[in-house]
C-alpha cells in the first residue's frame, strides 16, 4: 500500500495508531516505514488523544505530521506543537455549532481537517454544512470521499482531501485497493 501511494505521488500518507480502528497498524511497522524512498510523500501519524510519552517515543522523528482525531484540548495541541512536529487537528462536523470549533485550533494547528463523525465510508458531512465550512490553504476535508464523488468535492475550495475508506477493498476495512488508488489519482490529475 505504501509503495503504491508513493508511486502515485500522493502528498501525505496516513498511518493510524488507534487500537479500536480496523486500520490500526502495529508500532513495529514504524521501522518498516523507514525503508521506503518516500520521494516527496510525507508521513502522517493519525492518533486519538495520544499521550506526550507516546508521541515522544513513537511519532517524533518518524513522522512529518501528527493528525489528532480525539478530544485534544487547546493546551494539549500547543504542547504537541512545541515538540517540533506539525499538527493537523480534525474537527468532526455533525451540526452547525461544530463548525466554530476550528477557531480554537486555527492559530496552533498547521492544518485543520473537517471530518464526518463516523468511520463508515457511507457517512459524510451534511451537504448544507459543507458549504458553510471555511475554505483555503489551511483547511482539508474528509468523510466519504471516493472515486464517484471526487469531482464534486474537489471543487469546494479545500487545500487537501483526506481519503481512507473510499480507497479500500470492498468489504475489507483497512486494506487498500491499489486499482482504486491509481484510478483516483488519474481522475484528480485530470481535473
Amino acid at each position: 500500500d505504501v509503495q503504491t501511494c508513493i508511486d502515485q505521488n500522493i502528498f501525505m500518507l496516513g498511518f493510524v495508531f488507534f487500537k479500536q480502528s480496523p486500520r490500526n497498524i502495529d508500532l513495529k511497522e514504524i521501522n518498516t516505514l523507514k525503508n521506503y524512498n518516500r520521494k516527496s510523500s510525507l508521513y502522517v501519524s493519525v492518533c486519538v488523544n495520544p499521550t506526550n510519552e507516546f508521541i515522544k517515543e513513537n511519532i517524533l522523528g518518524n513522522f512529518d505530521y501528527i493528525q489528532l482525531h480525539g478530544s485534544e484540548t487547546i493546551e494539549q495541541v500547543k504542547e504537541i506543537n512545541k515538540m517540533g512536529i506539525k499538527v493537523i487537528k480534525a474537527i468532526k462536523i455533525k451540526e452547525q455549532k461544530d463548525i466554530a470549533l476550528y477557531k480554537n485550533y486555527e492559530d496552533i494547528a498547521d492544518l485543520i481537517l473537517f471530518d464526518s463523525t463516523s468511520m463508515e465510508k457511507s457517512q459524510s458531512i451534511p451537504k448544507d454544512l459543507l458549504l458553510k465550512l471555511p475554505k483555503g490553504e489551511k483547511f482539508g476535508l474528509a468523510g466519504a470521499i471516493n472515486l464517484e464523488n471526487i469531482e464534486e468535492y474537489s471543487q469546494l475550495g479545500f487545500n487537501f482531501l483526506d481519503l481512507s475508506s473510499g480507497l479500500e477493498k470492498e468489504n475489507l476495512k483497512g486494506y487498500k485497493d491499489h486499482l482504486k488508488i491509481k484510478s483516483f489519482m488519474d481522475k484528480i490529475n485530470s481535473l
Side-chain angles (χ1 to χ4, degrees):
D1 293 351
V2 172
Q3 191 62 57
T4 296
C5 290
I6 290 170
D7 291 344
Q8 289 297 314
N9 296 313
I10 294 182
F11 183 54
M12 293 179 166
L13 283 67
F15 301 93
V16 177
F17 296 98
F18 182 57
K19 286 189 166 87
Q20 290 88 323
S21 171
R23 296 164 191 93
N24 183 55
I25 68 168
D26 193 297
L27 289 172
K28 295 173 190 163
E29 297 297 326
I30 292 174
N31 286 327
T32 305
L33 294 176
K34 294 175 185 178
N35 297 327
Y36 289 93
N37 175 2
R38 299 193 284 156
K39 301 175 188 170
S40 61
S41 296
L42 302 176
Y43 284 171
V44 179
S45 62
V46 180
C47 302
V48 177
N49 301 318
T51 64
N52 287 352
E53 293 74 29
F54 177 85
I55 295 169
K56 288 174 185 171
E57 291 173 15
N58 302 290
I59 307 306
L60 293 182
N62 295 314
F63 294 88
D64 303 290
Y65 282 84
I66 185 168
Q67 186 169 306
L68 303 171
H69 269 270
S71 56
E72 299 87 5
T73 65
I74 296 166
E75 290 73 27
Q76 288 171 315
V77 175
K78 283 181 181 176
E79 277 184 53
I80 293 168
N81 201 316
K82 287 178 188 171
M83 291 182 199
I85 188 165
K86 292 184 178 184
V87 175
I88 302 169
K89 177 62 180 124
I91 307 292
K92 295 183 184 203
I93 306 293
K94 185 175 184 178
E95 51 192 330
Q96 172 89 32
K97 67 181 177 114
D98 299 332
I99 296 173
L101 295 174
Y102 84 90
K103 294 177 183 175
N104 296 329
Y105 303 95
E106 188 174 23
D107 294 333
I108 55 175
D110 296 275
L111 299 169
I112 303 286
L113 176 67
F114 295 108
D115 199 356
S116 69
T117 55
S118 171
M119 289 194 305
E120 298 307 314
K121 66 172 159 185
S122 60
Q123 184 170 336
S124 61
I125 296 171
K127 297 266 187 217
D128 61 318
L129 298 180
L130 263 181
L131 300 174
K132 296 176 182 178
L133 297 173
K135 316 293 189 293
E137 191 174 311
K138 192 164 187 129
F139 303 104
L141 181 66
I145 302 170
N146 56 49
L147 193 57
E148 288 74 41
N149 62 24
I150 186 54
E151 284 188 57
E152 176 187 353
Y153 283 109
S154 68
Q155 296 172 13
L156 291 174
F158 292 98
N159 184 35
F160 65 100
L161 300 173
D162 181 323
L163 282 83
S164 184
S165 58
L167 297 177
E168 289 179 344
K169 294 179 180 181
E170 291 299 319
N171 302 317
L172 275 175
K173 285 184 181 179
Y175 293 91
K176 297 298 181 240
D177 183 319
H178 295 191
L179 184 58
K180 280 185 185 178
I181 292 170
K182 184 177 182 331
S183 299
F184 183 86
M185 291 306 293
D186 288 346
K187 194 160 191 177
I188 278 285
N189 291 327
S190 71
L191 294 177

